[in-house]
Amino acid sequence: MTPRLALFLLLGIDAAILLFEASSLSLTFHGARLLYDYEPSVMTRIIQASIALFGQNDVALRLPMIVMNLISALLLYNVAKPYGRHARERVWLVAVFLLLPGVISSSLLVDEAALVTLGLFLYLFLEQRFGRRADLLLPLLALMDVAFALLFMGLAVQAYREQRYRYVGAYLLLTVVTVWVLGFNTGGLPQNQFLDMMGLYAAVFSPVVFVYLVYVLYRRYVTGQADLLCSIAATALVLSLLLSFRQRIEIEQFAPFLMAALPLGMQTFYHSYRVRLRPFRKRYRLLFTLATALLVINAGAVFFNKAAYLFLDEPSRYFAYRAHVAKELADALKARDITCATFPHNRSMQLRVRFYGVEECEGTVVRSERLADPQNVTIRYYNVPVAVFGVTNIPKN
């Protein structure tokens, strides 16, 4: 099998799994706010266009993110070409990218991470093909999401290293304009979130991959081998960790830029592997096997997330709970001819069920508690009750 055929087979399998999984999840509160509460963004309009074209369903809701990450995988395959001696190495890199928990989550949850990842790899691809002319894309990226300010800062760092001082000023000016126009969240009470941030990175990349990428970035800077990809990834990582000493960081704004280090990790690993004699390659094979096994396990935990309820005592504390229940609750209410209701003290569920056809009104009250009558709605997965809602019909005067 040729590497190119293997690449498209890999992308096809990934697309099929993601499309199948898309219909089993509910819209999260963050996704609902993106659709209904926030000022319409580029990502919001793309999702709305998909819904208008394919109907209001979970597949149409998540299709833009799935397509974006598949295109990002193709761009990564091309961006990694200068870093990989053989095409099969880049196919493995794409497989690792698609198995990253953060990539899978950004394909199935409604947020801006997939758009940011696509913008990053598109710029890197154009920069490799056309050099500085790729900078014509930057003003467009600046209008799409404030997270691209991190890209501009990484470009400024690399321009400074190359002593292109005029470009440093231009990139920093673009950074300031982006943050000023789109705004960057610096609110909240000062609090140390450093350890939480490290844990989030480990969850997004898996622990082994994250630690290895940090090692690669450090090694390249120490040895003077930092290039554009290294500057972008290191700038985003260092800024996120510094800011985490003061406030909670939105990981979806920073993690996509650490993806730029993936080709560097591939190059470093294969170079270290090849320069050693066969008897001394054992630990590298062990590292590769361990990283792959963890990625496969993490991917399985995401794809078969509902099976975990069979072993949980408190379902509401499960990490995937925020992407469950809403769709099933809306379907149960509509089965009782309830198409509008109010959820006291539960703004999250109020917004989430709106996507599934249950609008807000005062005729029916739904509470997150069991009532002493048959009006309860119980949501079950694998015959395990995970949530109970009490439904009260208020008679009209």
Side-chain angles (χ1 to χ4, degrees), residues 326-339:
K327 180 169 63 173
E328 291 82 2
L329 174 59
D331 290 342
L333 293 175
K334 289 188 290 185
R336 300 184 182 188
D337 295 325
I338 299 173
T339 56

Side-chain angles (χ1 to χ4, degrees), residues 259-272:
M259 302 284 182
L262 289 173
L264 306 178
M266 175 194 69
Q267 183 185 49
T268 301
F269 178 85
Y270 279 109
H271 175 73
S272 301

Side-chain angles (χ1 to χ4, degrees), residues 201-235:
Y201 272 124
V204 168
F205 289 93
S206 85
V208 175
V209 174
F210 173 62
V211 171
Y212 188 72
L213 290 180
V214 173
Y215 160 74
V216 168
L217 293 175
Y218 172 77
R219 175 177 170 176
R220 288 200 169 240
Y221 267 100
V222 169
T223 57
Q225 297 178 319
D227 60 1
L228 179 61
L229 272 64
C230 187
S231 293
I232 292 172
T235 300

Side-chain angles (χ1 to χ4, degrees), residues 182-193:
L182 298 180
F184 190 85
N185 181 22
T186 58
L189 296 175
Q191 51 183 326
N192 191 338
Q193 297 285 335

Side-chain angles (χ1 to χ4, degrees), residues 86-365:
H86 304 293
R88 66 174 180 272
E89 297 173 2
R90 290 182 283 144
V91 174
W92 277 112
L93 179 65
V94 170
V96 170
F97 172 77
L98 294 176
L99 283 172
L100 290 176
V103 173
I104 297 174
S105 298
S106 68
S107 298
L108 297 175
L109 303 179
V110 180
D111 59 31
E112 302 86 349
L115 178 64
V116 176
T117 304
L118 175 60
L120 168 65
F121 285 133
L122 178 60
Y123 173 80
L124 294 175
F125 173 77
L126 294 177
E127 194 276 337
Q128 287 184 354
R129 295 298 187 276
F130 306 108
R132 297 272 65 85
R133 285 178 289 178
D135 287 352
L136 296 174
L137 178 66
L138 297 182
L140 178 61
L141 296 179
L143 298 174
M144 294 175 66
D145 196 280
V146 69
F148 286 111
L150 296 167
L151 171 61
F152 308 148
M153 295 183 70
L155 293 173
V157 170
Q158 184 62 21
Y160 179 80
R161 289 177 54 83
E162 297 174 353
Q163 298 183 351
R164 295 183 290 111
Y165 299 116
R166 288 183 298 176
Y167 284 93
V168 173
Y171 294 141
L172 290 179
L173 177 61
L174 198 54
T175 302
V176 172
V177 171
T178 302
V179 173
W180 180 65
V181 172
L182 298 180
F184 190 85
N185 181 22
T186 58
L189 296 175
Q191 51 183 326
N192 191 338
Q193 297 285 335
F194 179 82
L195 293 180
D196 290 343
M197 192 66 184
M198 295 291 286
L200 286 173
Y201 272 124
V204 168
F205 289 93
S206 85
V208 175
V209 174
F210 173 62
V211 171
Y212 188 72
L213 290 180
V214 173
Y215 160 74
V216 168
L217 293 175
Y218 172 77
R219 175 177 170 176
R220 288 200 169 240
Y221 267 100
V222 169
T223 57
Q225 297 178 319
D227 60 1
L228 179 61
L229 272 64
C230 187
S231 293
I232 292 172
T235 300
L237 176 62
V238 171
L239 280 176
S240 65
L241 295 180
L242 288 176
L243 287 173
S244 69
F245 282 108
R246 186 214 176 268
Q247 66 187 76
R248 185 173 182 84
I249 299 299
E250 296 180 7
I251 188 69
E252 63 270 14
Q253 292 184 335
F254 290 86
F257 297 101
L258 193 53
M259 302 284 182
L262 289 173
L264 306 178
M266 175 194 69
Q267 183 185 49
T268 301
F269 178 85
Y270 279 109
H271 175 73
S272 301
Y273 182 80
R274 291 194 183 97
V275 298
R276 285 165 172 77
L277 297 174
R278 289 186 179 276
F280 302 99
R281 294 176 176 177
K282 183 179 297 184
R283 64 176 182 174
Y284 287 91
R285 289 194 293 267
L286 178 63
L287 176 65
F288 181 82
T289 302
L290 177 61
T292 304
L294 287 176
L295 287 174
V296 171
I297 292 172
N298 287 333
V302 174
F303 289 135
F304 303 101
N305 52 79
K306 291 182 179 178
Y309 288 114
L310 293 168
F311 312 99
L312 297 176
D313 294 327
E314 297 187 48
S316 61
R317 294 190 176 184
Y318 181 39
F319 78 92
Y321 183 81
R322 64 192 180 101
H324 293 156
V325 175
K327 180 169 63 173
E328 291 82 2
L329 174 59
D331 290 342
L333 293 175
K334 289 188 290 185
R336 300 184 182 188
D337 295 325
I338 299 173
T339 56
C340 69
T342 184
F343 291 75
H345 313 297
N346 196 344
R347 176 65 176 168
S348 170
M349 191 61 71
Q350 186 79 68
L351 272 185
R352 295 174 68 197
V353 297
R354 178 179 173 182
F355 177 78
Y356 299 103
V358 178
E359 298 290 339
E360 183 175 2
C361 71
E362 297 181 355
T364 302
V365 176

